[in-house]
Amino acid sequence: MEPLLLCSLRGHGAPVVCSSFSSIGLFSGDSKGYVYWWDVKSKRPQKKWKAHDETIVSIQLFDNNTVLLTHGRDSSIKFWDLKASNLELSVTELPVNSLNFCNVAINSSRLLLTASTVDSDKFDIYSITSSHPLQFSRICHQVDPWQLYQKALKTLPIPLDDDLSKRDKFGIMMKSIWINDQVFYIAYESGHILGFYIESDDTSQVSHTKKVGVTTTTSSSLINRGPKINLFHISDQLCPSPILSIAYDVKRNVLVAGSSGKSVLTLDVPESFSSLIEDSSKAISIKHAGLSHMVIIGDITIITFWNGITKGFVSASMDEIWKFDKILPTIDKNDETQSNRLKVTSMTFQVATPRESQITRSSKELIRMKRDTLDKNLLAIGYENGIISVYEV
């Protein structure tokens, strides 16, 4: 069944380029650097502020929805303490590479994955070591996926891709996502999707021998080698189209990816991370090119396209079950060159929160719960005109 439009949120004066649901509301960022904190029930912003000087690329909450991460094209990641009365005085800033539009991602262990400060094809990982104030430690610097790929090939019978080595390797990072606290995937400009496993810090004991005159003494010390990154999964089924969207299906333990072409790829996440697996999954062709945004709600995969159309698919088979778009009135109906379909610029979702039994509820409580949004699967789609449409799925 096609999603039901619940409301439209109006406030942004620029395209809504990223958004994120949480139990405390919907957060959205636009191309002028503004962030809105929405109360979906009242259809009004609780707060709004200028977070960045340029387009916001990523927006994410962590620490039980008490801290908001915003990542902008002004080469900074900012962390906002949502408990503070004055957000602009509570902000902590971290410089970051913003030469491309790849998002940053943080997991529940407070590990932050970003494009490397120097090279957009490599990545860094930071650990947030304290809360008040936030402090950061860069535990992985300039990790090169190409080197990890070549290292993995030495022990496995997977032939080196000559065409890949002749090109600019994997190219720049396009999308990144954590699967759990130790596993993350990065999608690249070349169309490759790589899965990485991060091991915990490796503390080793090293012996030191010192000779003074005829006396020899031996001592030992502990060396913290830092975390080790292993490449355990690779797919080239979407090559050479750049990857534009990725989503994780928790229920089926699969990663779903879409590119600038007309294909969707479903990758089973391996249970073992000890060795490299070259994925043999075949991409499924669909009718429209340019899969710009993707989310998974229950058994439905929802995809938006460059042409402004949003489609729902059965996740297991990728059979299309519905589609819709937003049409603006045109000045000249006879002008076929005039495009009147709004472009989708962001998409996010909320999964319903289970409710207690309604048997003992009063009639007023039941009415209030019916109006509540926490017990609904919600889909929020941002458009180029600054409007966010909220649907029940």
Side-chain angles (χ1 to χ4, degrees):
M1 185 173 64
E2 185 176 317
L4 173 66
L5 179 63
L6 297 180
C7 65
S8 293
L9 307 178
R10 293 175 170 83
H12 284 283
V16 182
V17 291
C18 56
S19 55
S20 179
F21 265 115
S22 77
S23 60
I24 60 174
L26 172 66
F27 291 80
S28 57
D30 64 33
S31 61
K32 290 187 177 179
Y34 283 91
V35 170
Y36 279 61
W37 178 358
W38 297 94
D39 182 335
V40 177
K41 286 193 296 182
S42 68
K43 306 179 186 64
R44 288 178 171 79
Q46 302 180 61
K47 292 183 181 180
K48 55 182 179 181
W49 69 97
K50 178 80 168 177
H52 294 269
D53 294 329
E54 296 187 33
T55 295
I56 297 178
V57 181
S58 313
I59 194 165
Q60 188 176 345
L61 289 100
F62 65 100
D63 277 7
N64 295 319
N65 297 325
T66 60
V67 182
L68 176 71
L69 176 158
T70 62
H71 161 220
R73 285 276 288 174
D74 55 0
S75 300
S76 70
I77 300 174
K78 295 183 179 180
F79 302 85
W80 310 85
D81 183 358
L82 299 180
K83 305 186 304 298
S85 56
N86 190 330
L87 289 175
E88 295 186 358
L89 294 179
S90 67
V91 63
T92 304
E93 188 169 350
L94 178 69
V96 70
N97 176 5
S98 293
L99 296 177
N100 60 334
F101 281 89
C102 182
N103 64 299
V104 301
I106 191 168
N107 66 16
S108 59
S109 293
R110 305 170 99 202
L111 295 181
L112 177 65
L113 172 64
T114 77
S116 177
T117 308
V118 179
D119 298 315
S120 295
D121 57 337
K122 301 179 179 64
F123 61 87
D124 296 342
I125 297 178
Y126 294 84
S127 174
I128 299 179
T129 55
S130 68
S131 298
H132 304 290
L134 288 177
Q135 293 184 351
F136 310 91
S137 172
R138 186 160 57 185
I139 59 175
C140 297
H141 178 49
Q142 287 277 86
V143 180
D144 188 344
W146 180 252
Q147 288 184 357
L148 294 178
Y149 175 60
Q150 290 181 311
K151 179 181 177 182
L153 288 176
K154 292 178 180 180
T155 57
L156 293 170
I158 299 177
L160 181 66
D161 188 335
D162 291 333
D163 291 336
L164 178 60
S165 60
K166 291 175 184 177
R167 299 194 303 267
D168 190 20
K169 301 173 183 177
F170 297 117
I172 64 173
M173 293 171 57
M174 299 294 292
K175 292 292 179 181
S176 63
I177 187 172
W178 287 95
I179 300 301
N180 55 46
D181 285 347
Q182 291 181 287
V183 176
F184 59 93
Y185 278 79
I186 300 178
Y188 286 89
E189 181 184 18
S190 63
H192 286 84
I193 302 170
L194 306 182
F196 300 91
Y197 174 71
I198 178 170
E199 296 182 11
S200 357
D201 290 355
D202 179 17
T203 303
S204 304
Q205 182 169 298
V206 179
S207 298
H208 304 275
T209 302
K210 184 177 181 181
K211 188 173 183 178
V212 180
V214 295
T215 305
T216 301
T217 58
T218 302
S219 61
S220 62
S221 62
L222 295 178
I223 296 179
N224 190 346
R225 298 179 182 275
K228 180 182 177 182
I229 307 293
N230 296 318
L231 173 63
F232 73 93
H233 199 186
I234 183 169
S235 173
D236 62 357
Q237 296 300 310
L238 293 179
C239 297
S241 301
I243 308 296
L244 302 180
S245 54
I246 54 176
Y248 178 56
D249 189 334
V250 179
K251 185 177 180 180
R252 297 189 299 144
N253 191 32
V254 300
L255 188 77
V256 185
S259 70
S260 58
K262 296 182 179 181
S263 298
V264 174
L265 182 64
T266 299
L267 302 175
D268 292 317
V269 176
E271 296 182 359
S272 172
F273 315 121
S274 58
S275 60
L276 180 62
I277 295 175
E278 187 176 32
D279 201 278
S280 58
S281 302
K282 298 298 181 182
I284 301 173
S285 178
I286 52 180
K287 294 180 180 179
H288 289 92
L291 288 72
S292 55
H293 303 89
M294 180 187 300
V295 299
I296 299 171
I297 304 178
D299 298 323
I300 301 175
T301 298
I302 303 171
I303 302 173
T304 65
F305 299 84
W306 282 344
N307 60 4
I309 291 177
T310 300
K311 289 187 175 186
F313 300 85
V314 178
S315 295
S317 62
M318 290 308 296
D319 291 330
E320 182 183 326
I321 52 177
W322 50 256
K323 70 176 181 178
F324 64 85
D325 55 14
K326 286 282 189 181
I327 302 295
L328 288 176
T330 56
I331 298 174
D332 185 0
K333 294 183 179 180
N334 296 321
D335 185 2
E336 297 181 355
T337 63
Q338 184 177 359
S339 175
N340 60 343
R341 182 184 287 134
L342 274 175
K343 292 181 180 179
V344 175
T345 50
S346 70
M347 184 166 62
T348 190
F349 72 101
Q350 167 191 284
V351 176
T353 302
R355 291 291 186 178
E356 298 176 4
S357 172
Q358 299 180 4
I359 297 176
T360 59
R361 301 286 184 182
S362 67
S363 57
K364 288 185 178 179
E365 286 178 317
L366 292 175
I367 292 173
R368 177 183 58 78
M369 289 173 63
K370 187 176 180 180
R371 293 175 178 173
D372 201 352
T373 57
L374 290 177
D375 60 348
K376 296 179 174 67
N377 289 332
L378 298 182
L379 176 70
I381 299 179
Y383 292 93
E384 60 181 336
N385 63 352
I387 293 178
I388 302 172
S389 294
V390 181
Y391 299 86
E392 181 179 359
V393 180

